[in-house]
Amino acid sequence: MKIFIIGSNSFMGISLLSYLINDLKDKNFKIYACSRSQISNSFQINNIKNNYKFYRIDLNKNIKELTILLKKIKPNIIFNFAAQSIVEYSWRQPLHWFNTNLISNIKFLEYLKNADYLDKYFHSSTPEVYGSTKKKITEEFIYSPSTPYATSKASVDMLLKNYFDNYKFPVIFTRASNIYGPGQRLYKIIPKTIICIKKNKKLPLHGGGLSKRSFIYSDDVSRAFTLLINKGVTGQIYHITNENIYKIKDVVRLVCLILGRDFKKSILITKDRPGKDFSYDMSASKLKKIGWKPKTDINKGLISTINWVNQNYKNFKKFKLEYQHKP
């Protein structure tokens, strides 16, 4: 089996690479990967860099190069994690989000729809396509995106459904709840909280942290992906979530508790971002029926992430904790 990961320097790309190479017992595959950046700042890359073939390719700029490469390698499995994914900034330059998340995918899929070597194409979607809802979200839920980011992702989801219906394109849709763990970008809420506490800085908590999310550890997501390689049905949507819902402020409070800091003295309540969805409560029943369940509870996952930050803190102190946009 040949596995090709697009967007391999993203948090989930690195996490899946690490899991396949270091944690999965069955190694009956070869791994190829591409990303627009040469070096990942995840500090996970060093222990896996010699165990897969990497190509520096930007989905926006090098589609022809990518398609030639895929034709040569002929991967059975493709994971596509390449996306503009920061919700707040999608309001500022929506064209960049649609260019990456939709237009470049249209160009890519026009080639890939005729690839006879491809068995499964994993499309990494998002619960944001559902918008804010108080109901339990099943895979059949109607889309109601409320931000440019969510709309761009919903658009490519629907396009892929068209390709499945008309061309039998072997897409599998995955929607994971808030993924966290070692290797996550430092501007995300959990690593940012840890670093702010270590720096004795107050964490800006948008809207007081009242919105609700399910947090799932990255290894649990990688296990779901590897299960779906064998058991996933093309054309289907699978939710990857532990179904435990927390207010953002309660997760921050847990980090403060583990680090022995006072929650109220560690935060600064700020204005919420526009279009922010209040809650995503997804059901993972479909995935559980084929043998998956999360193994890492929030406390264990937070401790693991804290340990990762501690191990790399000397380097992390140099990094900005705000998103730096690259078109």
Side-chain angles (χ1 to χ4, degrees):
M1 183 186 294
K2 296 177 182 178
I3 298 173
F4 198 103
I5 300 175
I6 301 171
S8 60
N9 284 352
S10 65
F11 169 45
M12 201 55 237
I14 287 288
S15 298
L16 181 59
L17 276 169
S18 179
Y19 183 82
L20 290 172
I21 292 169
N22 297 325
D23 300 322
L24 193 65
K25 293 179 181 179
D26 180 10
K27 297 290 194 299
N28 189 28
F29 49 75
K30 291 182 179 180
I31 300 177
Y32 305 83
C34 74
S35 190
R36 69 176 180 174
S37 59
Q38 181 63 51
I39 300 173
S40 170
N41 67 358
S42 74
F43 291 90
Q44 279 192 312
I45 194 75
N46 291 333
N47 67 337
I48 61 175
K49 64 182 180 182
N50 295 321
N51 295 294
Y52 69 101
K53 181 65 176 175
F54 175 80
Y55 303 88
R56 188 174 183 181
I57 295 175
D58 186 334
L59 185 63
N60 284 331
K61 301 175 183 177
N62 312 117
I63 288 179
K64 185 176 180 180
E65 181 183 345
L66 176 58
T67 56
I68 291 171
L69 178 64
L70 291 174
K71 189 174 182 179
K72 179 180 177 181
I73 294 172
K74 299 186 184 303
N76 312 101
I77 306 293
I78 292 178
F79 288 91
N80 189 354
F81 298 115
Q84 294 281 8
S85 61
I86 305 302
V87 178
E88 178 183 358
Y89 281 77
S90 72
W91 289 98
R92 303 183 188 185
Q93 293 178 307
L95 183 59
H96 290 177
W97 268 250
F98 276 86
N99 187 50
T100 300
N101 297 348
L102 179 61
I103 303 303
S104 291
N105 275 274
I106 293 173
K107 296 175 183 177
F108 181 48
L109 290 169
E110 274 300 288
Y111 158 77
L112 207 58
K113 71 182 183 184
N114 297 315
D116 57 4
Y117 51 79
L118 186 62
D119 294 326
K120 289 179 180 177
Y121 176 89
F122 286 89
H123 172 65
S124 181
S125 184
T126 171
E128 302 240 8
V129 300
Y130 298 122
S132 187
T133 176
K134 296 179 180 179
K135 296 180 180 179
K136 195 75 168 181
I137 302 172
T138 65
E139 287 83 354
E140 293 75 30
F141 218 76
I142 296 173
Y143 294 177
S144 184
S146 53
T147 65
Y149 162 68
T151 300
S152 70
K153 294 294 285 186
S155 299
V156 74
D157 285 8
M158 291 187 286
L159 176 72
L160 279 161
K161 179 65 165 57
N162 297 156
Y163 276 52
F164 172 76
D165 290 340
N166 289 279
Y167 305 123
K168 302 302 179 187
F169 184 71
V171 61
I172 291 178
F173 301 89
T174 61
R175 296 193 182 118
S177 53
N178 285 43
I179 309 169
Y180 74 100
Q184 189 170 25
R185 297 298 184 248
L186 301 183
Y187 49 78
K188 292 292 190 176
I189 186 65
I190 289 175
K192 187 173 183 176
T193 300
I194 298 166
I195 293 173
C196 281
I197 289 173
K198 290 179 72 66
K199 286 185 171 183
N200 291 312
K201 285 186 172 183
K202 287 185 180 289
L203 171 77
L205 196 56
H206 299 307
L210 298 178
S211 55
K212 297 178 180 180
R213 299 291 186 269
S214 171
F215 289 82
I216 186 160
Y217 193 64
S218 54
D219 277 359
D220 285 329
V221 181
S222 294
R223 286 193 304 103
F225 283 138
T226 55
L227 178 68
L228 289 170
I229 287 175
N230 295 314
K231 294 188 176 182
V233 178
T234 57
Q236 294 296 303
I237 301 166
Y238 295 90
H239 289 166
I240 309 174
T241 177
N242 60 23
E243 300 188 66
N244 295 322
I245 304 297
Y246 298 90
K247 290 180 180 178
I248 300 291
K249 70 173 185 177
D250 291 334
V251 174
V252 173
R253 195 190 306 273
L254 272 173
V255 175
C256 291
L257 182 64
I258 294 169
L259 292 174
R261 296 297 181 92
D262 182 88
F263 169 71
K264 290 184 179 179
K265 292 180 180 179
S266 301
I267 65 165
L268 176 66
I269 295 176
T270 60
K271 190 171 98 172
D272 220 340
R273 63 173 171 79
K276 187 174 182 180
D277 297 325
F278 179 71
S279 176
Y280 309 120
D281 185 7
M282 296 192 299
S283 167
S285 59
K286 186 187 289 189
L287 193 54
K288 288 178 178 178
K289 286 178 182 177
I290 58 173
W292 176 88
K293 65 178 180 180
K295 291 183 178 180
T296 308
D297 65 36
I298 189 74
N299 286 286
K300 183 179 177 181
L302 288 176
I303 290 170
S304 177
T305 308
I306 289 168
N307 289 339
W308 167 72
V309 171
N310 288 337
Q311 290 165 10
N312 296 283
Y313 185 62
K314 183 178 179 180
N315 292 306
F316 288 169
K317 285 194 296 185
K318 306 171 188 175
F319 291 172
K320 293 181 179 180
L321 297 183
E322 302 300 327
Y323 170 69
Q324 305 295 310
H325 179 58
K326 297 177 183 178

